Amino acid sequence: MPKTYKAIASQTLTGTETSVTFSSIPQTYTDLVFILNPIGTSSGANYLARFNSDTGANYDGIRLTANGSTVASARYTITGGIQIHDYLINGTSQVPVIICQIMNYSNTTTYKQLYARGNTASNWVQSSVGVWKSTSAITSVTFLSSSSNFQSGSSFSLYGIKAA
Amino acid sequence: MPLRTTYAGSSLRNLGFQAGIEIGDFEPIASQTLTGTQASVTFSSIPQNYKHLQLRVSARVNSGDSYQLLAQFNGDTATNYSWHYLFGNGSTVGVGNASNQSFASVGSHPGAGTTLANIFGVTICDILDYSNTNKYKTTRATSGGARNVLPAYVFIPSSNWRSTSGITSIYLYSEGGASFVEYSHFALYGIKG
């Protein structure tokens, strides 16, 4: 039986970058999974996923966060992307692990939902879900931050899952 | 056109396509994409040769705001289930639990009552050691659905089925008596270990 969960592309940065884009994503899978390990150059920034270069106000989402003393939930409507982690930390000592699941990314009938689970051991655990209000198939995904870059050593991996 | 990974800024590079590397033993068992409204979905005759199962669902129902995705295993409709959950609804956080229930809570989905059209939810539910005949079965799920309005939910449930039988069927339906709408997608995977 052909394998279902396939590594598509992966990259570890060797310099500072403002964003990372996976483009020309094959349309032959059912779901996409991104595993991210970004190292920020400054703290306090939102970390976003943007689809098909859409910078418009076409995203909506909510998050559930806990920081070791408090737990909270909030809605966000960030122009230009879905928030997948609330607070990027500067430096290599506090690097989040973020797993993003995008369901039915290639269909042209429904809006696209992303579920993200991110953890920074010294700061946050967060679960968030967001919608890109477009029926277009996702052909590219850009990861960026509202006010931070990614340091050398940041890693980004893409996997495809194919249903029966 | 092959997949490209590119970077903005001074280190712009086209890394080209990396051939897909098949990894692990994560195999599709069955999937269903609804072509009309349907009250339930069943996966039956589940092979017993995997170590774990993963259920991946993108669903919407035809009424209400948001509902739990419910499951019964092997046709067991007796009160042999218990569950607890944590949720955030965009403004508040809550928890819940129940014992001696007739269903497991395995995810969530938005309803068409006040949800923007074309929005479907996300559920990923793991069932560990599903074929083991020496232990009760536990599920762990992450789910949610941004609805473009509040309340919307991040919903994290875990359930227990008090049976040592291997899971051979999964019956899925919605809380609130709502039905799944067209384009709702349900997929079951087996994980070897």
Side-chain angles (χ1 to χ4, degrees), chain A:
Chain A
M1 177 182 293
K3 295 299 188 292
T4 298
Y5 201 122
K6 296 187 69 172
I8 300 174
S10 180
Q11 190 54 229
T12 301
L13 302 186
T14 58
T16 298
E17 303 287 349
T18 58
S19 65
V20 172
T21 297
F22 292 81
S23 58
S24 301
I25 296 174
Q27 299 295 296
T28 52
Y29 299 97
T30 304
D31 304 331
L32 298 177
V33 180
F34 287 93
I35 298 178
L36 314 170
N37 202 216
I39 308 171
T41 58
S42 59
S43 298
N46 285 317
Y47 186 36
L48 308 178
R50 175 178 293 163
F51 300 126
N52 294 12
S53 301
D54 184 358
T55 59
N58 297 314
Y59 304 89
D60 189 67
I62 62 167
R63 61 176 182 256
L64 171 64
T65 58
N67 66 2
S69 60
T70 59
V71 60
S73 181
R75 181 188 181 192
Y76 60 89
T77 52
I78 298 174
T79 298
I82 290 175
Q83 184 194 77
I84 60 175
H85 204 56
D86 188 31
Y87 197 88
L88 202 61
I89 303 296
N90 178 21
T92 59
S93 62
Q94 303 180 57
V95 181
V97 176
I98 305 169
I99 299 176
C100 300
Q101 311 259 0
I102 306 173
M103 317 289 278
N104 271 348
Y105 73 102
S106 64
N107 91 87
T108 55
T109 304
T110 65
Y111 288 172
K112 306 304 179 291
Q113 290 269 2
L114 178 152
Y115 184 95
R117 174 73 186 270
N119 307 281
T120 305
S122 58
N123 204 270
W124 292 108
V125 293
Q126 178 170 319
S127 288
S128 58
V129 62
V131 59
W132 177 43
K133 291 174 280 186
S134 170
T135 57
S136 298
I138 293 175
T139 58
S140 73
V141 181
T142 298
F143 297 103
L144 68 157
S145 174
S146 58
S147 60
S148 174
N149 296 324
F150 302 127
Q151 292 189 29
S152 172
S154 298
S155 64
F156 305 79
S157 299
L158 170 61
Y159 301 84
I161 296 178
K162 185 175 293 188

Side-chain angles (χ1 to χ4, degrees), chain B residues 146-180:
Chain B
R147 303 194 310 120
N148 206 56
V149 294
L150 289 183
Y153 290 89
V154 173
F155 184 73
I156 304 173
S158 181
S159 294
N160 178 264
W161 178 43
R162 294 188 300 280
S163 171
T164 56
S165 299
I167 293 176
T168 58
S169 73
I170 304 173
Y171 172 78
L172 298 168
Y173 62 109
S174 176
E175 179 188 25
S179 294
F180 303 113

